Amino acid sequence: MSEAIVTEAGEPARGDHDHGDHGTLTGISNNKLLMWVFLGSECLLFGGLISAYLINRSRFHTGPAPGDIFDIPFTSVSSFVLLMSSLTMVLALSALQRGDIRNNRIWLLTTALLGSLFIGGQVYEFTSFLREGLGYTTSPFSSAFFTLTGFHGIHVSVGIVMLMSLAISSYRGTLTQKNSETVEIVGLYWHFVDVVWIFIFTVIYLVPSPTS
Amino acid sequence: MSEPVAELTSGGGAALPLGVYSRPKGGGGWRDWVTTVDHKKIGILYGGAALFFFGIGGFEALLIRLQLATPNGTVVGADLYNQLYTMHGVTMVFLVIMPLAAAFANYLLPLQIGARDVAFPRLNAMSFWLFLAGGLFLNFSWLVGDAPDGGWFAYAPNTGVTFSPGHGMDFYAIGLQIAGIASLVSAMNLIVTVLNMRAPGMTLFKMPVFTWMILVVQFLLLFAIPVITVALFLLLFDRNFGANFFNPEMGADPLLWQHLFWIFGHPEVYVLILPSFGIVSEVIPTFSRKPLFGYEFMVFSGIAIGFMGWGVWAHHMFVSGIGPISIGAFTLSTMFIAVPTGVKILNWLATMWGGKIRLTASMLFATGVVSMFTIGGLSGVTHAVSPADTQQTDTYYIVAHFHYVIFGGALLGFFSGFYFWWPKVFGHRLGETLGKWNFWLMIVGFNMTFGPMHILGLNGMSRRIDTYSPGFGFEFWNLFATVGAFVIAFGVLCFAMNVILSARRARGLPPEPPDPWDARSLEWFTPNPTPVHNFDEIVEVSSLDEFWHRKWTTDENGRVVRRATAAEVCQTGDADDVHLPSPSYWPVVVAAGLPLVGFGLLYNLWICVPGTILVLIGVYAWVFEPPDDPDGPFGGGHGDEGHGDEGHGETEESASDESAPQEEAASVE
Amino acid sequence: MSTDTAAVTHTEHEHPSDAKYVQIAILLAALTAAEVSTYFVDIGPILIPALLVMMVVKFFYVAAWFMHLKFDSILFRRFFVAGLILATVVYCIALTAFEFWSKG
């Protein structure tokens, strides 16, 4: 591989010291690379959970079957909400990259709000399933369904906490144009969670499920 | 561990509302070690902890062998026996071999690529403390008399509450989960380190083979750990929250566990063996005084093993009823994976061929790896053949096979590494005489113990039975194997004595002069032991085996002639203007929180509360921690504050990583 | 693996304009609407292929534009694609072993 050390002109801190704390060899930020490496790993996590769901989706024992219980119109709305939160997330980043701190803050909070709406929808979905007789222990299908969507929900919740933390540091004046990479990294996480939901929405909800 | 942690949190937590924290200055003694972010110290901690667990796992092995020495053994009961072999396996795989690899990787990888530290020093520290927390949590199960008893691969539904009603399998699931997070964080950290932190001129194909193999291993861990994370969560939910993933009564298919476990488990096998391959690939060229034969082949076969390791998992499941097509496919893929492994063996032999071989203790262990691993690899090929495997599976033949691979391949490699790099780490050599005793006792004892198991297995002795009746022809070889196990123990004792005696002998003497072995890679540019800042100045790399090429050249007749002495080439280690990342309290605080959450899940959910609080405090304090050098270019407004996340284990690293620019800042002047 | 990581195309983030992001979001919304409409309108045997194609397109657009994979270093793409492909292949093999495709 052919490589020169890329020292980014924009980042004076790196690579210009005689005893050689070289900046990053690839010119890529360590943090961003770490997040991408992590997301690569997360693919296998969600892949495992989704597979565990798929092989169990027709095993609903005596409980409700997925085809009977899913409320597609409702889930479509909450999926749409999460999808749009990706737009607001990227707008938040774009604002901060322009140095527009006010809009950045607004979009961050909007993203967190949309995420919370999604979580609220999930809580509603879970409770209505419970009312209809689908508990966590009802069947292999129910365990797998709640585990998969629950893990996704926890990921979204963690994302909301990160977004709120960003918003707080923005109010404290510490989130400025030069740390836009932090927003970008949180954004990567957020989009990833969204992308996982795109997959789940299609494969778990829209592809016809077994009925009893 | 618990006391210093409590002390730290009370001190650090109090400062939380202000949002200003100071970083520890060190101050000598245990504080240095608890708060360290130095990859070398963390490497030593990994090594020490792994050897501690090695003692425990070895003791368990001896008890197993004592029980089996005679028919109708009465040393331990069946229940305790189940716990012993389970914990022996879990300990040796997850708490000995993996952390030993982490020890060598942590210490050597930054040095071999010419870096001052890893990319994320605090995450690195957290990885170690998490591993230790997971290991202690697992072994805590002995103290409550309820150790895991479902075998190291914990097949469902045997591990469900019906058949394992105690807390043992919960300790297994949670302990491995914590250790798994440690491995995952460490893998991400080292991948970024290798890609981003290499010295100028060090292209990927100028990296030493050890670094390459560690990189491959980190990729395997990166993608394999989440799979076992899923499996362990499912098991935990089944056992504790009444989920039905592995419950056949509800129509579930317990085979799911086997698939998930082995999708992780087979890459894991290569996680165990490849670091040792890397070590051997450094040791053999040095002591043969020849460059490694077929460097590119070595690297590519390592990568190929890494890739193919993903497509062979079901060969662990040939008798589980997965169907003829699956069996056929996995038989084929398993046979193919023998090819790159064979390439490596041939390359080591070709490296030694015609070389000026010096049979130091290190080299003896390396040749031990080559020969013993070959035996293990060949018996492995015999159970790639699925019809033969149907006879061999769950017998002592399998036990023999994987001990030849893991003991004969992995562990002997680490011993080779100990003897090779001891002067680099501690500034003095290990004694050669005791070292040779160590080697010969271990290799003889090893073959006495595990060689006969081939015969026992083919004669039909099942693994995991706690005893056997006389008259099956098992008596002699079992007794023989038990004697062998104690010979191994004496070999290990020689190593322990060697460590103590050589340290005592070296006391008061000047440290080992640079380059004791006429070695080849970058770490030997530094004096012995490695100074805290690693390199006085970062080496510009122009070739593979850079260090060797600075010492030697060829004259016009093609003969190798010395161009410079090691003392001329090596750095002196007296640079005093290098800024290093400051120590930090928070990695150990975060790591201390997770076992508490684990205990909470087992005994009383309220215990989760302090655990979670500890993790939250740790993560937020971590993020808000100032870079150590306020005048540095990244100092002042360290702007990346402001997001931690909840301490639910899984995605923790996604938060902690964001704090890292400070660390870079810290390591940049 | 990453053989040529350093051919750095660090294009100093010539990120698309906000208008472009909104356009993509509209496209994503339209696709979602099309996906959901399959629940109400029977489109026969092409249902599952159609759903999967739309899913992949959505997935691609979010990853390429919102996650900037289209513009950022190729190294990031490699990590993500490696994880995706590995997960897909490995888990599809596992599902095959469970006879998922024939039995559902």
Side-chain angles (χ1 to χ4, degrees):
Chain A
M1 106 181 221
S2 62
E3 58 204 2
I5 318 167
V6 182
T7 46
E8 287 169 86
E11 295 187 45
R14 307 214 176 142
D16 53 352
H17 294 276
D18 50 357
H19 56 262
D21 276 299
H22 43 288
T24 71
L25 193 67
T26 51
I28 294 168
S29 133
N30 281 346
N31 301 318
K32 215 161 128 187
L33 185 55
L34 191 78
M35 179 50 91
W36 273 113
V37 172
F38 173 65
L39 295 184
S41 168
E42 287 271 275
C43 292
L44 275 285
L45 181 91
F46 278 105
L49 291 167
I50 290 168
S51 307
Y53 171 80
L54 287 178
I55 65 164
N56 282 316
R57 66 176 189 161
S58 52
R59 296 175 179 146
F60 38 82
H61 200 57
T62 54
D68 303 333
I69 202 164
F70 285 160
D71 182 353
I72 302 295
F74 178 81
T75 311
S76 304
V77 173
S78 65
S79 303
F80 182 75
V81 167
L82 192 64
L83 192 66
M84 286 307 111
S85 78
S86 261
L87 174 66
T88 56
M89 183 73 233
V90 84
L91 291 178
L93 172 64
S94 160
L96 192 61
Q97 281 170 338
R98 288 193 308 267
D100 183 347
I101 289 173
R102 194 170 153 272
N103 272 318
N104 167 52
R105 204 178 292 157
I106 290 171
W107 289 124
L108 280 177
L109 288 171
T110 315
T111 312
L113 180 72
L114 291 174
S116 310
L117 271 177
F118 175 83
I119 292 293
Q122 199 166 37
V123 170
Y124 171 81
E125 186 195 31
F126 281 13
T127 46
S128 66
F129 282 4
L130 267 176
R131 272 199 308 274
E132 290 169 58
L134 190 79
Y136 188 64
T137 58
T138 307
S139 61
F141 152 68
S142 76
S143 303
F145 172 78
F146 285 116
T147 305
L148 169 60
T149 48
F151 260 85
H152 181 266
I154 287 171
H155 274 77
V156 176
S157 309
V158 169
I160 294 171
V161 171
M162 295 201 282
L163 287 169
M164 293 307 292
S165 305
L166 283 179
I168 290 168
S169 63
S170 175
Y171 277 111
R172 292 173 58 197
T174 48
L175 190 69
T176 57
Q177 193 170 9
K178 73 176 168 34
N179 348 96
S180 67
E181 188 186 271
T182 311
V183 177
E184 189 178 358
I185 290 170
V186 173
L188 288 176
Y189 175 83
W190 190 261
H191 297 308
F192 174 77
V193 172
D194 182 28
V195 147
V196 170
W197 190 257
I198 289 176
F199 194 95
I200 292 178
F201 180 55
T202 303
V203 172
I204 277 74
Y205 287 90
L206 289 177
V207 169
S209 301
T211 50
S212 53
Chain B
M1 199 180 84
S2 57
E3 317 159 45
V5 166
E7 193 179 313
L8 291 176
T9 39
S10 59
L16 188 66
L18 299 172
V20 178
Y21 315 93
S22 60
R23 291 183 76 145
K25 301 273 185 248
W30 60 270
R31 256 169 211 278
D32 265 2
W33 289 90
V34 172
T35 60
T36 187
V37 296
D38 176 2
H39 72 98
K40 297 181 290 298
K41 278 192 169 149
I42 292 170
I44 294 170
L45 284 170
Y46 261 117
L51 288 176
F52 166 71
F53 288 122
F54 181 57
I56 295 180
F59 182 67
E60 287 155 0
L62 290 179
L63 283 178
I64 292 172
R65 280 320 316 168
L66 277 178
Q67 164 73 8
L68 293 180
T70 54
N72 298 324
T74 52
V75 178
V76 294
D79 184 37
L80 183 57
Y81 185 82
N82 289 348
Q83 301 177 28
L84 278 174
Y85 73 67
T86 302
M87 282 302 283
H88 168 71
V90 173
T91 303
M92 288 305 190
V93 168
F94 294 99
L95 308 181
V96 177
I97 303 291
M98 284 174 74
L100 274 181
F104 282 94
N106 262 292
Y107 199 99
L108 293 168
L109 186 134
L111 285 166
Q112 287 201 330
I113 61 171
R116 288 247 157 78
D117 209 320
V118 294
F120 302 97
R122 286 183 298 174
L123 280 185
N124 200 23
M126 188 183 81
S127 294
F128 167 73
W129 294 112
L130 276 176
F131 145 69
L132 187 66
L136 293 176
F137 185 85
L138 255 176
N139 276 285
F140 187 83
S141 61
W142 284 121
L143 300 183
V144 297
D146 207 358
D149 56 0
W152 86 278
F153 46 61
Y155 276 1
N158 186 35
T159 48
V161 265
T162 320
F163 302 107
S164 295
H167 277 312
M169 293 320 294
D170 298 318
F171 275 108
Y172 170 91
I174 299 169
L176 289 191
Q177 200 75 279
I178 297 173
I181 298 170
S183 297
L184 182 63
V185 175
S186 176
M188 302 194 301
N189 196 348
L190 291 179
I191 288 173
V192 174
T193 304
V194 172
L195 292 179
N196 266 356
M197 311 279 284
R198 279 163 289 145
M202 162 103 31
T203 58
L204 286 178
F205 278 87
K206 292 193 178 103
M207 297 196 311
V209 175
F210 174 74
T211 298
W212 255 114
M213 291 306 112
I214 292 295
L215 180 64
V216 173
V217 165
Q218 304 316 312
F219 273 96
L220 289 174
L221 285 171
L222 178 74
F223 293 129
I225 294 283
V227 186
I228 196 174
T229 302
V230 171
L232 292 172
F233 270 127
L234 302 191
L235 176 64
L236 201 63
F237 295 166
D238 256 24
R239 291 181 54 87
N240 292 285
F241 309 131
N244 296 301
F245 291 103
F246 309 122
N247 184 357
E249 280 172 35
M250 302 290 270
D253 187 347
L255 219 52
L256 175 62
W257 170 272
Q258 292 195 26
H259 276 286
L260 288 177
F261 187 88
W262 289 118
I263 289 174
F264 152 80
H266 205 82
E268 167 76 10
V269 170
Y270 297 103
V271 166
L272 299 177
I273 192 67
L274 286 179
S276 169
F277 282 4
I279 291 172
V280 169
S281 304
E282 302 294 308
V283 169
I284 288 182
T286 301
F287 292 114
S288 305
R289 214 158 171 265
K290 274 177 68 185
L292 186 68
F293 181 86
Y295 167 85
E296 286 84 0
F297 274 97
M298 254 348 201
V299 172
F300 278 118
S301 59
I303 296 173
I305 290 173
F307 269 108
M308 295 162 82
W310 286 95
V312 297
W313 78 84
H315 66 217
H316 297 270
M317 304 163 56
F318 280 154
V319 295
S320 67
I322 50 173
I325 298 174
S326 298
I327 288 181
F330 281 100
T331 296
L332 271 179
S333 63
T334 305
M335 290 188 166
F336 274 120
I337 204 169
V339 175
T341 319
V343 166
K344 283 185 171 287
I345 304 266
L346 284 176
N347 281 8
W348 290 323
L349 294 178
T351 306
M352 285 188 264
W353 185 266
K356 271 191 194 159
I357 295 180
R358 285 175 290 162
L359 281 179
T360 59
S362 178
M363 182 66 170
L364 282 173
F365 274 107
T367 53
V369 171
V370 178
S371 48
M372 294 304 111
F373 182 81
T374 306
I375 298 175
L378 288 175
S379 65
V381 175
T382 67
H383 29 253
V385 185
S386 45
D389 183 70
T390 314
Q391 295 300 312
Q392 296 157 359
T393 198
D394 274 339
T395 69
Y396 262 85
Y397 190 86
I398 299 288
V399 179
H401 158 70
F402 66 68
H403 280 94
Y404 268 86
V405 175
I406 305 227
F407 189 122
L411 191 70
L412 292 184
F414 291 125
F415 273 87
S416 173
F418 284 143
Y419 283 90
F420 188 61
W421 280 297
W422 206 266
K424 177 105 291 301
V425 179
F426 296 107
H428 61 266
R429 299 186 199 205
L430 287 172
E432 280 293 313
T433 315
L434 261 180
K436 281 169 187 162
W437 275 100
N438 176 7
F439 170 74
W440 286 112
L441 283 173
M442 268 175 84
I443 199 112
V444 169
F446 164 71
N447 280 294
M448 283 174 68
T449 310
F450 300 108
M453 289 186 187
H454 291 109
I455 303 167
L456 284 170
L458 291 179
N459 284 345
M461 182 169 167
S462 302
R463 69 192 282 198
R464 297 185 169 172
I465 49 168
D466 64 306
T467 189
Y468 52 93
S469 306
F472 289 102
F474 298 157
E475 293 94 333
F476 173 73
W477 287 121
N478 268 304
L479 185 61
F480 193 77
T482 301
V483 173
F486 280 88
V487 177
I488 297 177
F490 279 110
V492 176
L493 218 55
C494 282
F495 176 73
M497 274 166 55
N498 203 349
V499 169
I500 296 166
L501 290 179
S502 59
R504 194 171 291 169
R505 200 167 46 234
R507 200 174 293 159
L509 296 177
E512 180 74 19
D515 193 24
W517 314 115
D518 194 10
R520 315 180 73 86
S521 44
L522 289 197
E523 72 269 26
W524 300 101
F525 272 107
T526 62
N528 301 321
T530 321
V532 66
H533 58 273
N534 291 2
F535 298 95
D536 293 342
E537 47 189 287
I538 297 299
V539 182
E540 294 261 348
V541 178
S542 56
S543 59
L544 176 68
D545 293 337
E546 177 73 19
F547 182 60
W548 198 82
H549 287 291
R550 299 233 187 149
K551 293 180 296 183
W552 301 91
T553 186
T554 45
D555 64 11
E556 59 274 18
N557 301 325
R559 278 186 322 179
V560 176
V561 290
R562 193 175 269 286
R563 155 208 306 229
T565 64
E568 289 164 355
V569 174
C570 287
Q571 301 178 350
T572 53
D574 51 10
D576 54 4
D577 58 343
V578 181
H579 285 241
L580 293 166
S582 281
S584 171
Y585 296 120
W586 308 115
V588 70
V589 172
V590 173
L594 285 187
L596 283 182
V597 175
F599 282 123
L601 286 175
L602 291 193
Y603 294 110
N604 184 338
L605 284 177
W606 286 106
I607 311 177
C608 291
V609 176
T612 313
I613 291 175
L614 214 53
V615 174
L616 282 178
I617 289 177
V619 169
Y620 267 90
W622 178 316
V623 171
F624 283 91
E625 196 170 47
D628 55 338
D629 184 0
D631 302 323
F634 264 54
H638 55 103
D640 53 352
E641 58 220 87
H643 31 258
D645 67 14
E646 311 295 355
H648 81 96
E650 190 53 36
T651 44
E652 198 149 73
E653 52 279 12
S654 68
S656 2
D657 58 350
E658 264 95 51
S659 57
Q662 299 164 4
E663 289 165 351
E664 268 178 277
S667 63
V668 171
E669 194 187 25
Chain C
M1 254 164 259
S2 45
T3 41
D4 200 9
T5 54
V8 181
T9 47
H10 204 69
T11 45
E12 254 331 300
H13 300 310
E14 288 180 20
H15 288 317
S17 64
D18 287 2
K20 184 74 189 171
Y21 288 137
V22 174
Q23 275 174 26
I24 290 179
I26 292 170
L27 175 77
L28 291 171
L31 275 169
T32 309
E35 283 180 330
V36 174
S37 69
T38 62
Y39 178 68
F40 302 101
V41 185
D42 188 3
I43 59 169
I46 61 159
L47 170 65
I48 290 176
L51 280 176
L52 291 180
V53 167
M54 285 189 280
M55 176 189 84
V56 170
V57 173
K58 281 169 76 181
F59 197 108
F60 172 81
Y61 269 95
V62 174
W65 290 86
F66 290 174
M67 296 170 97
H68 301 139
L69 280 185
K70 204 166 152 55
F71 318 99
D72 238 340
S73 164
I74 189 163
L75 194 55
F76 299 146
R77 205 177 317 163
R78 286 199 177 128
F79 272 104
F80 194 49
V81 171
L84 273 180
I85 292 180
L86 189 67
T88 312
V89 171
V90 165
Y91 289 122
C92 280
I93 296 175
L95 287 176
T96 311
F98 279 104
E99 299 177 39
F100 170 76
W101 315 109
S102 47
K103 286 185 188 165

